[in-house]
Amino acid sequence: LSPGAKMGCFTFIKVMMILFNLAIFLGGGTLLGVGIWVTVDDQSFLDIFGGLSSSVLQVVYVSYFLIAIGAILLVIGFLGCYGAQKDSKCLLMMFFSVVLIIFIAEIAAAVVALVYTGLAETLLTAVVTPLLKEKYGPDERFTHIWNVTMKEVNCCGLNNYTDFTNSTWYEEHKTYPEPCSPVVRGLLPLAHPHLRGCLLQGCFNQILEEIKTNAGVVGGVAAGIAALEIAAMAVSMYLYCHLDQK
């Protein structure tokens, strides 16, 4: 290519890099703002987006997740946009490094999810089960999140109803939580309370089944994100290597 054509190609890619990362920056700022809003005033959020309260994602603290993702996107967007605009090799290399770290972490998480599902369940059990025993009941927000999840997903506890055995809730009420009761589901009356959990699977298995059912969609989204990350790294390296030749 002639010097003019090379310069035109460089300028085009630079502009695309700036616009792409500006969109990421604005998206990150939006997610961060929503995350802070949910943290400060979660009731107003649920009143406006009532359908979201029925989501499986209520198992986790969505607000903190949004804040974390928003902050990461803000950093990536700033490094990419400002680095390209200022022709800064340092910022472009930082952008490349951050995206590469995230890409490797995603691959590692996918491998663990595919190969070590049992390990993931063990780790979650070690962390979540004690929380269920201690916080279900006394902590209103935690209790609400789990009640909505168990009702919508048709599950009981993380593994099964025994997660609530000897819990704070059971010691106080001498029964398992209402979402675990088949009577509420319109099933057979409970002559034996210990059988109620047998009619409902744990939430971990149910959520896992949902993910497997929608594996194509999940895989497509993951592949799309990976492709964008690879493209972003390739463009940042192109700009980095051609800055001296500009």
Side-chain angles (χ1 to χ4, degrees), residues 59-106:
V59 174
V60 298
Y61 286 99
V62 178
S63 58
Y64 301 128
F65 177 78
L66 291 177
I67 289 174
I69 296 298
I72 292 171
L73 290 179
L74 272 177
V75 171
I76 292 175
F78 172 79
L79 291 175
C81 185
Y82 195 71
Q85 198 271 328
K86 291 296 183 180
D87 293 336
S88 171
K89 297 184 76 171
C90 178
L91 291 179
L92 287 173
M93 181 53 71
M94 288 176 66
F95 171 85
F96 176 86
S97 300
V98 171
V99 175
L100 179 62
I101 290 171
I102 293 173
F103 181 73
I104 293 173
E106 288 171 348

Side-chain angles (χ1 to χ4, degrees), residues 3 113 121 124 141 146 168-169 193-194 198 210:
E121 183 176 7
L124 281 174
R141 184 178 181 183
W146 270 95
T168 303
W169 174 272
H194 68 279
C198 298
E210 288 291 328

Side-chain angles (χ1 to χ4, degrees), residues 121 124-125 128-130 132-133 136 146 150 154-167 170 176-177 179-181 193-206:
E121 183 176 7
L124 281 174
T125 299
V128 176
T129 303
L132 278 175
K133 290 183 181 295
Y136 187 89
W146 270 95
M150 291 190 292
N154 201 32
C155 58
C156 179
L158 182 69
N159 298 296
N160 53 50
Y161 77 105
T162 59
D163 288 343
F164 293 103
T165 303
N166 299 323
S167 65
Y170 191 86
Y176 293 97
C180 294
S181 173
H194 68 279
L195 292 178
R196 64 180 64 188
C198 298
L199 300 175
L200 293 174
Q201 295 183 4
C203 293
F204 181 85
N205 290 329
Q206 292 290 78

Side-chain angles (χ1 to χ4, degrees), residues 159-242:
N159 298 296
N160 53 50
Y161 77 105
T162 59
D163 288 343
F164 293 103
T165 303
N166 299 323
S167 65
T168 303
W169 174 272
Y170 191 86
E171 291 299 323
E172 181 179 346
H173 298 87
K174 302 303 178 185
T175 185
Y176 293 97
E178 182 181 293
C180 294
S181 173
V183 172
V184 179
R185 308 280 180 200
L187 302 177
L188 295 174
L190 291 178
H192 305 286
H194 68 279
L195 292 178
R196 64 180 64 188
C198 298
L199 300 175
L200 293 174
Q201 295 183 4
C203 293
F204 181 85
N205 290 329
Q206 292 290 78
I207 293 173
L208 199 60
E209 285 301 317
E210 288 291 328
I211 293 174
K212 289 179 180 178
T213 301
N214 298 282
V217 176
V218 173
V221 171
I225 293 173
L228 283 176
E229 289 170 342
I230 292 171
M233 288 188 287
V235 169
S236 64
M237 272 295 96
Y238 173 86
L239 294 177
Y240 179 89
C241 295
H242 286 75

